[in-house]
């Protein structure tokens, strides 16, 4: 067997390991039965399904019919931009409020894309702000600071 599609192979291995990790972690909770599910039942079977899916993808990469690909060098700059945007969101949520924090998160993490466009990033940010307002504030009734604290509009 020759590894033809390295991208699919390593993605499959990652999914299989994450799935097995979740399934193993779920064994710490009561399982129950299919009729009376315990708190560990759903995460266990979801982890098993993810592990099986990962194994199928990884084994498919070994097939002679698989498209030959390689894995490019990992770009840590993109990783730091995305993680930095999420950390910045967490730090700015209280002082700037939900709307500005989400806007900055989306625009900041969009910079990591090779196909970055200011117009697309701003439209995505506005859409996500409206979606979060509808889903979390109106739909679920969660309480977040919506505007910056120094404006006194909360």
């Amino acid at each position: 067997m020759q590894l033809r599609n390295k991208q699919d192979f390593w993605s499959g291995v990652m999914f299989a390991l994450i799935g097995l990790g979740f399934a193993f972690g779920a064994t710490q909770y009561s399982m129950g039965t299919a009729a009376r599910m315990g708190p560990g039942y759903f995460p266990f079977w979801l982890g098993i399904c993810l592990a099986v899916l990962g194994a199928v993808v990884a084994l498919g990469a070994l097939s002679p019919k698989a498209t030959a690909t390689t894995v490019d060098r990992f770009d840590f700059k993109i990783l730091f931009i995305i993680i930095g945007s999420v950390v910045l969101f967490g730090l700015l949520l209280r002082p700037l409020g939900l709307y500005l924090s989400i806007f900055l998160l989306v625009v900041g993490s969009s910079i990591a894309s090779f196909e970055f466009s200011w117009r697309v990033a701003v439209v995505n940010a506005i859409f996500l702000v409206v979606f979060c307002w509808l889903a979390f504030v109106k739909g679920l009734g969660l309480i977040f600071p919506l505007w910056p604290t120094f404006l006194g509009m909360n």
Side-chain angles (χ1 to χ4, degrees), residues 112-127:
S113 172
F114 293 117
E115 300 156 2
F116 175 74
S117 163
W118 280 104
R119 195 174 118 212
V120 172
V122 168
V123 169
N124 282 337
I126 291 170
F127 172 78

Side-chain angles (χ1 to χ4, degrees), residues 16-115:
L17 290 176
I18 290 172
L20 289 174
F22 271 92
F24 178 73
T27 61
Q28 304 302 313
Y29 300 104
S30 156
M31 283 293 183
T33 64
R36 292 188 59 87
M37 296 178 196
Y41 189 87
F42 183 73
F44 175 79
W45 286 110
L46 189 64
I48 294 297
C49 290
L50 184 61
V52 168
L53 177 68
V56 168
V57 169
L59 291 174
L62 298 172
S63 168
K65 296 178 184 176
T67 307
T69 62
T70 59
V71 178
D72 294 335
R73 188 170 97 24
F74 191 78
D75 193 353
F76 284 99
K77 178 184 169 193
I78 291 173
L79 178 70
F80 291 132
I81 290 172
I82 293 172
I83 291 176
S85 296
V86 173
V87 169
L88 190 65
F89 169 80
L91 293 174
L92 295 179
L93 182 59
R94 280 197 194 269
L96 290 185
L98 183 70
Y99 301 145
L100 289 177
S101 298
I102 288 176
F103 189 86
L104 291 174
L105 168 71
V106 173
V107 172
S109 59
S110 295
I111 293 172
S113 172
F114 293 117
E115 300 156 2

